[in-house]
Amino acid sequence: MNKIDSTVKGLYVLPNGIYIDKEGISERIPLQLMGDGIRRFLNVAATIAANNEQNFICLIDEIENGLHYKSQILMWQTLFELARAANIQLFVTTHSWEMLQSLTNVLKQDAYSDMQEKVKVFSIVNTAREGFQSYSRSFEGLESSLRNEREFR
């Protein structure tokens, strides 16, 4: 949370809800009063981290919703760290070009380069002859598509 908002000093789960302790504010703030991005980030990360199971599948629909573009890299880093820790398989949907660019930027980092071979991006296209078809891209294919500004979302 502190990486998203540097003024966050603490997070408290109380009987009547989740509260945030922020610098410069004398009272804890209900999580509902924080931005959509912080709530979304916390929801995804806490749900995965709180799961006591190992080796499970996590589905995240439209991951970009409510997430500020500056937090996208942190979201991917957090997801990869949680995926490693719990040995989970992530299925993430997005319509965001920026979110896919953030994904490639994270995968280029040394700390996450081992995830390149594990990432696949799928597009579903309604073709004139064959109807709906699914196309997959490896990390290299994703990177090339973004670099060449090919539409594939």
Side-chain angles (χ1 to χ4, degrees):
M1 292 289 294
N2 192 264
K3 290 182 181 179
I4 291 176
D5 182 342
S6 62
T7 65
V8 172
K9 296 191 307 184
L11 179 71
Y12 300 89
V13 179
L14 303 174
N16 61 340
I18 299 174
Y19 289 82
I20 306 289
D21 187 11
K22 290 186 64 143
E23 289 178 15
I25 300 176
S26 60
E27 294 184 36
R28 294 179 181 145
I29 302 168
L31 181 62
Q32 304 90 281
L33 297 180
M34 300 299 289
D36 286 344
I38 287 179
R39 290 196 318 267
R40 174 80 166 162
F41 185 88
L42 182 61
N43 183 10
V44 169
T47 299
I48 294 170
N51 191 324
N52 292 327
E53 300 293 321
Q54 294 279 315
N55 309 316
F56 65 95
I57 295 171
C58 178
L59 309 172
I60 305 170
D61 190 30
E62 296 184 0
I63 192 170
E64 74 278 3
N65 282 353
L67 200 60
H68 191 272
Y69 76 95
K70 290 182 179 178
S71 301
Q72 292 175 354
I73 286 178
L74 180 60
M75 176 64 93
W76 286 120
Q77 291 169 331
T78 301
L79 286 175
F80 288 146
E81 292 296 329
L82 291 168
R84 285 177 180 149
N87 193 32
I88 63 172
Q89 186 173 10
L90 298 168
F91 289 87
V92 179
T93 67
T94 185
H95 294 285
S96 169
W97 185 272
E98 293 80 13
M99 198 71 192
L100 292 170
Q101 186 63 58
S102 295
L103 171 61
T104 62
N105 290 341
V106 170
L107 291 171
K108 289 178 190 176
Q109 296 173 4
D110 289 341
Y112 304 100
S113 62
D114 64 306
M115 301 300 272
Q116 289 178 8
E117 64 187 37
K118 298 176 182 181
V119 170
K120 292 279 187 210
V121 176
F122 293 89
S123 298
I124 299 175
V125 179
N126 189 4
T127 65
R129 289 188 180 175
E130 302 292 327
F132 288 101
Q133 298 293 307
S134 175
Y135 300 95
S136 70
R137 286 179 176 78
S138 63
F139 166 73
E140 292 82 11
L142 171 62
E143 189 177 34
S144 173
S145 294
L146 290 168
R147 185 176 48 253
N148 295 311
E149 298 182 5
R150 285 194 298 238
E151 182 60 39
F152 60 93
R153 296 174 287 165

